[in-house]
């Protein structure tokens, strides 16, 4: 996996180059300004949310968003940013030249390096560290903070939660739940990693009220 700090710097540099009035990056503008073909069309329900590919005969990269997938505008913005990473980062571009097409459905729960890199890139592109800190200010961050960051930067709550944990100080544990109440994943910050090892909480019933 590429160095996370390097990926974050690349994403945030690009975010400021293609920033919007809300402070995060605009993935569609970035994709189009980088001379990459961009289309939003239907590919069928139950398939990928976004795809990137390399057209060898035309020597160009292309990004597609599947409009048949029902999702929020914030999640779709994350998918666009995720695909931007695949066509922007040099190792990803090199891989696309080999495999031609890459399909993805961003969920923050993959074990694949290339997907984890794209998710890290997308999070920093939509919610740059300086912008997150400016919104939050000093003091502790809470669930209300996450909602505020998501609203102001127009990113998903999941993206906002992860970026708050990454950008702000403090002990924290983020848990993403499956519909049946089991834990899909946990992300720990600072010493909570030792206190609550990964997957130590496996169900909502284990939480202290």
């Amino acid at each position: 996996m590429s160095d996370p700090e390097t990926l974050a710097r690349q994403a945030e540099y690009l975010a400021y180059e293609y920033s919007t009035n809300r402070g995060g990056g605009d993935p569609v503008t970035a994709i189009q300004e980088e001379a990459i073909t961009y289309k939003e069309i239907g590919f069928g329900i139950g398939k990928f949310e976004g795809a990137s590919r390399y057209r060898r005969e035309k020597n160009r990269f292309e990004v597609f968003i599947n409009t048949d997938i029902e999702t929020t505008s914030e999640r779709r913005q994350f998918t666009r940013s995720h695909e931007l990473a695949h066509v922007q980062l040099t190792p990803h571009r090199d891989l696309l030249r080999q495999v031609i097409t890459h399909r993805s459905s961003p969920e923050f729960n993959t074990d694949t390096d290339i997907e984890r890199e794209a998710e890290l890139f997308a999070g920093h592109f939509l919610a740059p560290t300086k912008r997150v800190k400016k919104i939050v200010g000093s003091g502790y961050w809470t669930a209300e903070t996450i909602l505020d960051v998501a609203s102001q930067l127009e990113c998903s709550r999941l993206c906002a939660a992860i970026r708050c944990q990454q950008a702000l100080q403090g002990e924290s544990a983020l848990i993403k739940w499956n519909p049946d109440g089991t834990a899909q994943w946990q992300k720990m910050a600072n010493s909570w990693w030792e206190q609550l090892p990964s997957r130590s909480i496996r169900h909502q019933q284990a939480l202290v009220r």
Side-chain angles (χ1 to χ4, degrees), residues 29-192:
T29 300
I31 290 170
Q32 293 174 336
E33 290 292 323
E34 296 293 321
I36 297 163
T37 300
Y38 176 79
K39 294 181 181 179
E40 295 198 7
I41 56 179
F43 288 95
I45 299 174
K47 298 183 181 293
F48 57 89
E49 292 185 42
S52 307
R53 75 175 181 181
Y54 174 66
R55 290 285 297 276
R56 183 173 286 117
E57 69 275 13
K58 296 187 177 182
N59 188 31
R60 75 183 185 196
F61 292 92
E62 300 176 337
V63 167
F64 300 95
I65 299 298
N66 185 2
T67 57
D68 285 338
I69 301 294
E70 292 188 12
T71 185
T72 64
S73 60
E74 292 82 7
R75 175 162 174 148
R76 184 154 290 171
Q77 192 76 331
F78 187 89
T79 301
R80 295 182 184 112
S81 303
H82 180 106
E83 298 306 322
L84 170 63
H86 288 319
V87 295
Q88 178 68 27
L89 299 173
T90 299
H92 293 225
R93 291 167 67 93
D94 293 342
L95 184 60
L96 276 177
R97 287 190 175 97
Q98 299 174 34
V99 302
I100 307 300
T101 301
H102 177 82
R103 301 174 179 85
S104 54
S105 295
E107 282 284 358
F108 283 107
N109 62 353
T110 179
D111 293 326
T112 306
D113 283 349
I114 190 171
E115 291 296 274
R116 291 171 64 185
E117 290 175 355
E119 289 173 354
L120 176 67
F121 180 99
H124 281 267
F125 181 79
L126 292 173
T129 300
K130 288 184 179 179
R131 184 66 178 127
V132 172
K133 289 182 177 180
K134 184 176 180 179
I135 292 172
V136 176
S138 59
Y140 292 104
W141 58 279
T142 65
E144 287 73 20
T145 305
I146 293 172
L147 297 178
D148 194 24
V149 169
S151 175
Q152 291 199 42
L153 296 182
E154 297 179 3
C155 63
S156 69
R157 294 176 180 179
L158 180 57
C159 176
I162 291 175
R163 288 297 296 123
C164 282
Q165 188 182 61
Q166 293 170 339
L168 306 174
Q169 295 182 348
E171 309 284 0
S172 60
L174 297 179
I175 304 174
K176 184 179 180 184
W177 305 104
N178 290 312
D180 64 357
T182 58
Q184 187 176 118
W185 53 250
Q186 294 176 219
K187 294 183 185 297
M188 305 299 176
N190 300 328
S191 64
W192 277 27

